[in-house]
Amino acid sequence: MLVGILSDSHGDADATQRAVTLLAERGAQAFFHCGDVCNERVLDTLIGRQAWFVWGNCDVPDAATRRYVEGIGLKWPDLPLRVSLASRRIGMWHGHERGFRDDIVAGDLDYVFYGHTHKRDDQRHGTLRAINPGALFRADVRTVALLDLAGDSLNFLTLDGRRVP
């Protein structure tokens, strides 16, 4: 199964829509947004898709936001966010929270997806793989990540679709 990972939209729904479309065109069947959503239009890009997201340090969710999220069919994110998909255990954080680093060293997950730094990253910690897709806002090169859960292969893509070495 291919999953698309994106982060740090900071309200740029147009860039987020282009990123989701790019990932879907490359075969992504599920989507993970690692936070700093910053407006409802960004969440709209995930409507009708198998998708999860977390809040970032720039998000200020309230009761009205919760009603909106649930009204469009997304699941309200609670931390730590855990998903089992294609026999893989996935955790997702924004990356600034207490407990984020503990999740990486605990060793009970296959993957941890995170954002916050606006820099793409891919690190192994024992059997766990920690992936930051980069950012869609305030980044020299806006990137997303496409992960094949079956083969554990990862590609970073720029928003214009080029592979990143």
Side-chain angles (χ1 to χ4, degrees), residues 112-132:
V112 169
F113 303 152
Y114 69 101
H116 188 57
T117 65
H118 292 234
K119 296 177 183 173
R120 68 183 188 272
D121 196 21
D122 176 22
Q123 294 185 23
R124 300 239 184 217
H125 301 269
T127 60
L128 178 134
R129 190 170 190 180
I131 300 169
N132 184 329

Side-chain angles (χ1 to χ4, degrees), residues 54-155:
V54 294
W55 299 118
N57 58 299
C58 292
D59 292 309
V60 187
D62 57 18
T65 307
R66 185 177 195 121
R67 286 190 297 276
Y68 187 82
V69 165
E70 293 171 350
I72 63 172
L74 293 176
K75 186 176 183 307
W76 185 262
D78 291 316
L79 289 180
L81 191 128
R82 296 285 189 267
V83 175
S84 290
L85 194 62
S87 301
R88 300 292 186 263
R89 298 159 302 161
I90 300 167
M92 184 168 55
W93 300 81
H94 182 55
H96 70 290
E97 306 91 342
R98 184 176 303 178
F100 163 63
R101 294 282 173 209
D102 295 338
D103 227 13
I104 290 176
V105 298
D108 61 342
L109 297 169
D110 297 301
Y111 296 99
V112 169
F113 303 152
Y114 69 101
H116 188 57
T117 65
H118 292 234
K119 296 177 183 173
R120 68 183 188 272
D121 196 21
D122 176 22
Q123 294 185 23
R124 300 239 184 217
H125 301 269
T127 60
L128 178 134
R129 190 170 190 180
I131 300 169
N132 184 329
L136 295 173
F137 180 81
R138 212 176 62 234
D140 292 336
V141 178
R142 295 183 293 177
T143 58
V144 295
L146 184 66
L147 174 65
D148 181 349
L149 293 176
D152 193 37
S153 64
L154 178 70
N155 288 305

Side-chain angles (χ1 to χ4, degrees), residues 2-55:
L2 295 175
V3 299
I5 312 163
L6 53 155
S7 190
D8 293 279
S9 295
H10 288 268
D12 191 337
D14 294 331
T16 307
Q17 183 60 63
R18 290 194 344 257
V20 168
T21 299
L22 168 67
L23 290 163
E25 287 172 349
R26 298 291 178 101
Q29 299 162 284
F31 298 83
F32 292 84
H33 192 297
C34 302
D36 280 351
V37 171
C38 299
N39 79 30
E40 293 169 350
R41 287 186 53 231
V42 168
L43 293 174
D44 291 347
T45 67
L46 303 175
I47 291 174
R49 299 185 183 277
Q50 186 175 16
W52 297 267
F53 74 97
V54 294
W55 299 118

